[in-house]
Amino acid sequence: MSQTPYERVRLARDSRRPTGLDYIRNVFEDFLELHGDRRFGDDPAIVGGIASLNGNPVTVIAMEKGHTARERSARNFGAPGPEGYRKALRLMKQAEKFGRPIVCFVDTSGANCGIGAEERGQGQAIAENLMEMTTLCVPIISVLIGEGGSGGALALAVADRVWMLKNAVYSVISPEGCASILWKDAKKADVAAKSLRLTAEDAKALGVVEGILSEHELGKEKFYRRLGRLLEHELGRLLVDPDLIGKRYERFRRIGRRELMS
């Protein structure tokens, strides 16, 4: 029996799912974490640095929620502040300078919406990521591994290839937030989830993502090896593409055209 969209949301939020750091530690080798945005501080909700993928250098950036209550609190439940997005962009520009492809793992309910984050330029930080990622001249692959919430997720997902795990979700707003706005009742989140078209199948049908990754043996060694092979193969294809930026631009221009014409 297939799961409802809201059941998928619950699976995406499950604290037992592998987090960004789990992917970094199991898919890549020789990871060297780099810290700070050179403006304010270091955001633990985003982890990034240099690593190897089967001997090939890459820059890897991941949103990190943590597993336990203590870890989640320390990581602000995977809700990055502006310094996190600026750190990510700093690492991306560094990757471009040295010709390293970029792999991002996305898992957030949304960007930090606190007063401090807004005072430090949250909106501008996200907007700068969106703008700069469109013109980076190295390949970018983004993988949605859990929640993909609004601009907070998109700020690491302006990529040449965007993939989703089978039970990941990608939406402009959380079902609870949508239900609170439309019906003034967050308990109608299951109804909102159906309308938001947030499942991996919906995203692929809309052209928002290129691929859906099976969760068979999720978190096991075979799962990580399979993902590593897929990343290596696709990055190899993208590295020799002479029109990387043009195709990335067209990729995002195409999204929604089918819906407007139907």
Side-chain angles (χ1 to χ4, degrees):
M1 184 176 178
S2 62
Q3 291 137 337
T4 67
Y6 195 58
E7 286 172 339
R8 292 283 188 89
V9 173
R10 290 180 173 177
L11 286 170
R13 292 171 174 169
D14 194 324
S15 63
R16 294 169 294 182
R17 286 179 73 83
T19 63
L21 270 174
D22 293 323
Y23 284 87
I24 290 175
R25 290 165 177 162
N26 288 282
V27 175
F28 304 90
E29 310 94 35
D30 306 319
F31 175 63
L32 173 65
E33 185 176 358
L34 301 175
H35 297 271
D37 68 341
R38 303 299 187 265
R39 296 193 197 179
F40 177 79
D42 187 49
D43 187 347
I46 290 185
V47 177
I50 306 166
S52 296
L53 179 60
N54 294 329
N56 300 305
V58 297
T59 288
V60 58
I61 302 166
M63 292 169 170
E64 173 61 24
K65 284 184 174 180
H67 289 288
T68 66
R70 179 174 292 181
E71 287 174 350
R72 291 200 158 202
S73 178
R75 302 279 181 183
N76 198 35
F77 301 89
E83 51 274 10
Y85 293 114
R86 291 183 183 121
K87 173 170 68 173
L89 182 57
R90 180 175 73 81
L91 297 180
M92 289 185 217
K93 297 295 283 185
Q94 181 193 76
E96 180 182 47
K97 179 179 179 180
F98 292 101
R100 289 191 299 268
I102 300 164
V103 179
C104 297
F105 294 100
V106 178
D107 186 14
T108 183
S109 59
N112 185 346
C113 57
I115 293 174
E118 294 298 330
E119 289 174 340
R120 297 193 299 278
Q122 183 70 290
Q124 183 177 358
I126 291 172
E128 285 177 351
N129 277 34
L130 303 183
M131 179 180 70
E132 294 287 349
M133 289 182 78
T134 61
T135 60
L136 289 173
C137 63
V138 291
I140 311 168
I141 296 179
S142 293
V143 186
L144 282 94
I145 59 175
E147 287 186 278
S150 192
L154 187 60
L156 289 188
V158 181
D160 303 292
R161 299 288 184 271
V162 182
W163 298 340
M164 285 180 74
L165 266 66
K166 173 77 172 178
N167 291 317
V169 294
Y170 201 11
S171 176
V172 70
I173 191 172
S174 70
E176 294 84 1
C178 179
S180 296
I181 292 170
L182 293 182
W183 301 294
K184 312 299 181 187
D185 185 2
K187 293 180 181 178
K188 292 188 177 181
D190 57 336
V191 180
K194 293 178 183 178
S195 300
L196 286 169
R197 302 182 71 177
L198 45 65
T199 67
E201 291 82 3
D202 288 327
K204 192 170 190 298
L206 291 166
V208 175
V209 305
E210 280 77 32
I212 300 173
L213 304 179
S214 167
E215 296 195 9
H216 180 62
E217 297 185 303
L218 180 67
K220 301 290 182 63
E221 185 180 350
K222 287 183 179 179
F223 169 82
Y224 291 120
R225 280 208 308 265
R226 185 173 75 245
L227 177 57
R229 288 194 299 268
L230 288 171
L231 289 169
E232 183 181 24
H233 174 73
E234 198 60 32
L235 288 174
R237 292 177 57 190
L238 292 169
L239 279 166
V240 297
D241 192 331
D243 188 27
L244 198 66
I245 296 173
K247 288 179 181 177
R248 189 184 306 149
Y249 174 82
E250 280 302 317
R251 179 196 183 278
F252 284 90
R253 291 287 291 174
R254 284 195 303 270
I255 294 174
R257 283 181 185 171
R258 192 182 310 164
E259 290 291 296
L260 291 170
M261 294 173 65
S262 62

